[in-house]
Amino acid sequence: MAKVTPLSGFPEWLPAERRIEQHVMDTFRDVAELHGFSNIETRAVEPLDQLLRKGETSKEVYLISRLQADDEDRDKEGQKLGLHFDLTVPLARYVLEHQNDLAFPFRRYQIQKVWRGERPQDGRFREFYQADIDIIGQDTLPPHMDADVAIVMAEVLGKLPIPGFTISVNNRKLSQGVFEALGLTDIEGVLRQLDKLAKVGEAEVRTLLIEHAGASEEQADGCLAFARIKATHEDLAEKVNALGVSSEAIPHALEELSFVIRTVNASVPGACIADLSIARGLDYYTGTVFETFVEGHEDLGSICSGGRYDTLATDNRHSYPGVGLSIGLSRLVSRLVTRSLATSTRAVPTVALVAVADEEHREASVDVARVLRSRGISAEVAPSAAKFGKQIKYADRRGIPFVFFPSEDGRGEVKDIRSGEQTPADAHTWQPPQDDMTARVVATTSTK
């Protein structure tokens, strides 16, 4: 067979690394369901015209077509399909398609692969998992639900083996109120330029505001002064008012933003701050916007972002406003793995390897494994009746902590190969320590 050449941007984890990925997924799932979110899965493909309706990701969409498709098939608009590049476009279609069967507000979570044809780099892939939570209303959606989704994400991140995190939050209505009070008219243009602050810095953004968003030098300075504000709910209003601008929209937006910060921190103390540099340049956000950074790993960028969008989907009868957050799950797992921030206590789920004295007695070993499994203890039978020393070495290489040696009377002995201790055991009653029952993912001391 020819040498296999890896494909960049399509991660494949080793078993111990995959356990870390599964741990992140399981944590997300458990917390989301604890808060009453239901799981859905949507198809991998959507009509191309729906994927490209914003026109901003056309270079990144992977097309789907049959190898033997004829020209007539290729010309049919309905045959033009693409792999979804996020989970929001499929959610909008799903809500419209199933609106008569859903109860609103609809609380949904989703963990699924998405595809983007971008240049692979640290933390960025062409095929990767996203984990989303959203609350979708029908015609209206109470503003307090902005805090609900942030609390879920804060609890998820608080349970993961990361050094620490900060959920930075802003409100598009506050940004718009301040920028309009400064006399600016191209609000979307201003937001798009401010969204580049972390990448290019203040000096470059100031130039971009003047050249591409119609700002004067004084207005550009006002925008940057606004974007520098970081605050708790207690001093947010004071810092914004110190800018010396006012409008009818600002007080209400300040209250909405303060409520989110106050409510999230009441559940997960210190998780959330106001950071008015958060712009989220996409134009469908209409209120609260979020970005989340891992302490000491800010170079990774935001691992969890989102916000409120009042026009997720509309039809002739209803509109469907929503608020949601998305974790770049593969990006986060990649950092946990490559920087050794987390480790699995073992690569395999097996608790005990049942030894085989000789092939004539393999059935007795199979019976012991069956009894152990019936009691919830993961067990596998040795692949060959090699010398016991070799069977122990096999278990050690696999990371299996115990070897069970059956005896003729149906009992036997079990060996903890880490300590070397060997004790009498009965498959019907033997119980390994609770910490050994499953492979656990734990944080390491590394913060590189």
Side-chain angles (χ1 to χ4, degrees):
M1 180 178 178
K3 181 179 178 181
V4 176
T5 302
L7 284 175
S8 64
F10 296 85
E12 291 180 329
W13 306 120
L14 294 172
E17 298 165 344
R18 172 61 175 164
R19 293 203 69 84
I20 295 174
E21 184 175 63
Q22 286 181 313
H23 173 72
V24 176
M25 291 179 177
D26 291 344
T27 300
F28 183 91
R29 182 183 302 110
D30 291 346
V31 175
E33 294 192 353
L34 190 64
H35 285 259
F37 286 77
S38 299
N39 180 238
I40 67 168
E41 181 170 332
T42 54
R43 64 197 186 206
V45 299
E46 296 292 338
L48 190 58
D49 61 338
Q50 291 299 307
L51 289 173
L52 301 183
R53 70 182 190 273
K54 293 290 183 182
E56 296 179 355
T57 53
S58 58
K59 294 181 180 179
E60 297 183 0
V61 174
Y62 284 105
L63 296 180
I64 296 293
S65 63
R66 288 189 299 113
L67 183 62
Q68 300 298 328
D70 55 31
D71 291 338
E72 182 179 353
D73 284 340
R74 279 191 286 266
D75 289 340
K76 291 179 181 177
E77 187 67 28
Q79 298 295 321
K80 294 182 180 179
L81 302 175
L83 291 169
H84 57 223
F85 55 82
D86 70 5
L87 299 180
T88 302
V89 172
L91 175 63
R93 188 265 311 158
Y94 181 94
V95 168
L96 287 177
E97 191 169 330
H98 300 284
Q99 59 182 288
N100 294 329
D101 301 310
L102 298 175
F104 294 96
F106 174 47
R107 300 165 71 89
R108 148 276 197 190
Y109 79 91
Q110 191 169 351
I111 305 171
Q112 207 166 329
K113 282 189 174 180
V114 300
W115 294 265
R116 292 181 189 173
E118 60 181 355
R119 182 172 64 86
Q121 52 187 300
D122 183 23
R124 290 188 178 274
F125 305 101
R126 293 171 175 170
E127 176 185 63
F128 57 96
Y129 278 106
Q130 280 192 187
D132 286 21
I133 55 168
D134 289 83
I135 305 176
I136 309 302
Q138 190 174 68
D139 298 324
T140 62
L141 185 70
H144 65 79
M145 291 188 175
D146 295 11
D148 288 358
V149 294
I151 288 170
V152 173
M153 284 303 192
E155 290 187 4
V156 170
L157 295 172
K159 292 177 180 292
L160 296 180
I162 57 178
F165 66 93
T166 300
I167 299 177
S168 299
V169 58
N170 193 4
N171 191 300
R172 291 289 283 269
K173 289 182 284 188
L174 176 60
S175 299
Q176 180 166 343
V178 169
F179 299 154
E180 288 178 348
L182 288 170
L184 292 157
T185 56
D186 184 7
I187 306 302
E188 296 299 332
V190 172
L191 289 169
R192 280 194 296 272
Q193 304 313 323
L194 288 177
D195 199 30
K196 302 172 184 177
L197 271 170
K199 293 182 179 179
V200 302
E202 279 196 13
E204 179 64 22
V205 168
R206 186 177 188 274
T207 300
L208 293 172
L209 287 169
I210 294 169
E211 294 181 353
H212 299 288
S216 66
E217 292 188 0
E218 184 179 4
Q219 289 170 329
D221 290 339
C223 291
L224 291 172
F226 173 79
R228 292 188 198 104
I229 294 176
K230 292 180 173 58
T232 67
H233 71 275
E234 295 173 330
D235 59 353
L236 174 61
E238 178 184 350
K239 290 184 176 181
V240 172
N241 292 333
L243 296 172
V245 297
S246 62
S247 74
E248 291 183 4
I250 291 175
H252 180 68
L254 279 171
E255 178 51 40
E256 280 192 6
L257 182 53
S258 296
F259 172 83
V260 170
I261 300 167
R262 185 171 63 249
T263 305
V264 174
N265 287 339
S267 293
V268 185
C272 192
I273 65 165
D275 182 343
L276 305 192
S277 69
I278 303 301
R280 302 295 296 152
L282 298 175
D283 59 9
Y284 54 73
Y285 290 112
T286 56
T288 308
V289 286
F290 302 96
E291 289 191 351
T292 309
F293 302 91
V294 177
E295 293 177 9
H297 298 268
E298 288 79 8
D299 64 301
L300 189 61
S302 177
I303 60 160
C304 174
S305 57
R308 173 173 279 258
Y309 37 87
D310 288 327
T311 55
L312 169 73
T314 59
D315 60 15
N316 293 327
R317 297 183 301 160
H318 301 287
S319 64
Y320 295 91
V323 61
L325 277 164
S326 173
I327 290 180
L329 194 142
S330 294
R331 174 185 290 194
L332 178 57
V333 170
S334 174
R335 183 55 59 103
L336 292 176
V337 169
T338 60
R339 301 296 180 88
S340 301
L341 300 180
T343 186
S344 178
T345 55
R346 60 178 186 266
V348 298
T350 313
V351 177
L353 176 75
V354 182
V356 178
D358 52 57
E359 292 302 333
E360 293 181 2
H361 292 85
R362 175 170 291 276
E363 189 172 337
S365 297
V366 171
D367 288 342
V368 167
R370 184 183 302 113
V371 171
L372 292 174
R373 293 179 195 131
S374 72
R375 299 178 52 234
I377 300 171
S378 176
E380 59 181 272
V381 179
S384 68
K387 293 181 179 180
F388 282 157
K390 289 186 176 181
Q391 294 187 50
I392 292 171
K393 286 183 179 179
Y394 170 80
D396 189 33
R397 287 197 304 271
R398 292 265 289 154
I400 301 170
F402 297 97
V403 177
F404 196 109
F405 300 98
S407 61
E408 302 238 349
D409 61 3
R411 296 180 181 273
E413 293 187 343
V414 68
K415 183 183 186 71
D416 184 333
I417 64 174
R418 299 161 298 184
S419 66
E421 182 181 3
Q422 186 164 323
T423 56
D426 185 329
H428 294 86
T429 58
W430 174 71
Q431 186 66 40
Q434 188 60 39
D435 283 350
D436 289 323
M437 283 293 288
T438 59
R440 294 173 294 110
V441 172
V442 295
T444 66
T445 56
S446 173
T447 59
K448 295 184 291 183

